[in-house]
Amino acid sequence: MQELSLVFFTVLAQGTVGLFLVLACLLMANSETNRQQLLNKLLMVVLVLLGIAGAAAMTHLGQPLHAINVIFGLQHLSALSVEIMTTALFGGAVFTYVAMVHFGILAKLQKLVLAGAMGLGVLLLLAIANVYTLATVPAWNSGWTIFQFVMTAFVVGIPAAALMLRSQSATLGAFQKAYQERVDRALATLGFITLGLVLVCYPLYLFWLGQVDLPANPLGLFDYHGSLMLARLGLLFAGLGIWVIAATRGNNSAVGLAAVSTVLVLTAELCGRIFFYDLHLLPM
């Protein structure tokens, strides 16, 4: 499909924002120096992932040199221009915070910059959703678009944060092990709530989609749609389920389990996003 690059951009960008928000919340709640140093180091992963997402988006441009037109689009608040500028501002804010911490610059302002980056992350989620809330595409023109895009941030970001923390178990050491277990259990609880919310709301979204006045059945637009939706739900349930169950039972150190969980939910969201983009092909 032509929008495959946008599928990767939106899912990776939203998941990256979710990962950042989780790590930033932990930073805000911690005053212990070693933990702060570890969390600050993990924020570099956010910059790398955001760079990969941006590279995926660039492949969608027919003429990359025309990207400068984004600035002109801000004159009339073009949704696409706002999305791109918000992405740049979010990345810039995270980079500024990481640089300030690394070089020890203006220590008293670092938390303020971190809070600003968190706000920009939320704005980025809304800006991406705004691009696709189009009156000309009835299947997209509802609050379900915002819901799906925001949920991707939580679905991907929470297990990804758990993976990042588990990968640093050796660095944390025995003294910090109890802290890591508490955080892991808290993330697993959030993951459980997120899974329940998605499993309840996704059928409601499909029911709403079936009621929209469209010239064709959106659930049967392509033969693979049925398989795609089942794969999304199956991967999501397996990905979050195995990690949540293991974490709540006290298995808080298995890096491989968290990695498999993150890959499964990321794949699930990619499947769901392919279905979402296919909907714009519905005849008017």
Side-chain angles (χ1 to χ4, degrees), residues 164-176:
M164 294 292 101
L165 290 172
R166 288 187 181 190
S167 69
Q168 299 300 313
S169 295
T171 303
L172 283 167
F175 177 74
Q176 306 281 11

Side-chain angles (χ1 to χ4, degrees), residues 36-55:
Q36 287 188 337
Q37 289 177 344
L38 172 65
L39 291 167
N40 284 324
K41 185 173 69 173
L42 294 180
L43 285 183
M44 294 182 183
V45 177
V46 171
L47 291 173
V48 173
L49 293 176
L50 194 62
I52 295 173

Side-chain angles (χ1 to χ4, degrees), residues 24-44:
C25 285
L26 292 175
L27 263 170
M28 288 289 190
N30 268 288
S31 57
E32 206 277 329
T33 304
N34 289 336
R35 293 172 189 166
Q36 287 188 337
Q37 289 177 344
L38 172 65
L39 291 167
N40 284 324
K41 185 173 69 173
L42 294 180
L43 285 183
M44 294 182 183

Side-chain angles (χ1 to χ4, degrees), residues 174-220:
F175 177 74
Q176 306 281 11
K177 186 178 179 182
Y179 163 77
Q180 184 189 354
E181 289 180 354
R182 288 198 303 273
V183 171
D184 202 83
R185 285 175 183 267
L187 291 177
T189 302
L190 284 176
F192 178 75
I193 295 172
T194 302
L195 177 61
L197 197 58
V198 172
L199 292 180
V200 169
C201 291
Y202 196 59
L204 293 177
Y205 162 67
L206 295 178
F207 176 77
W208 168 83
L209 197 57
Q211 305 306 307
V212 178
D213 185 17
L214 297 170
N217 179 8
L219 305 181

Side-chain angles (χ1 to χ4, degrees), residues 12 15 17 38 57 64 83 177 197 206 233 235-237 242 252 257 268 273-274:
L12 281 179
V17 170
L38 172 65
E83 177 203 40
K177 186 178 179 182
L197 197 58
L206 295 178
L233 287 174
L235 290 168
L236 189 62
F237 186 79
I242 58 174
N252 305 111
L257 190 62
R273 197 55 49 82
I274 290 173

Side-chain angles (χ1 to χ4, degrees), residues 216-225 275 277-283:
N217 179 8
L219 305 181
L221 189 59
F222 292 106
D223 292 339
Y224 60 80
H225 274 177
F275 173 70
Y277 273 100
D278 279 349
L279 294 178
H280 89 282
L281 297 174
L282 284 166

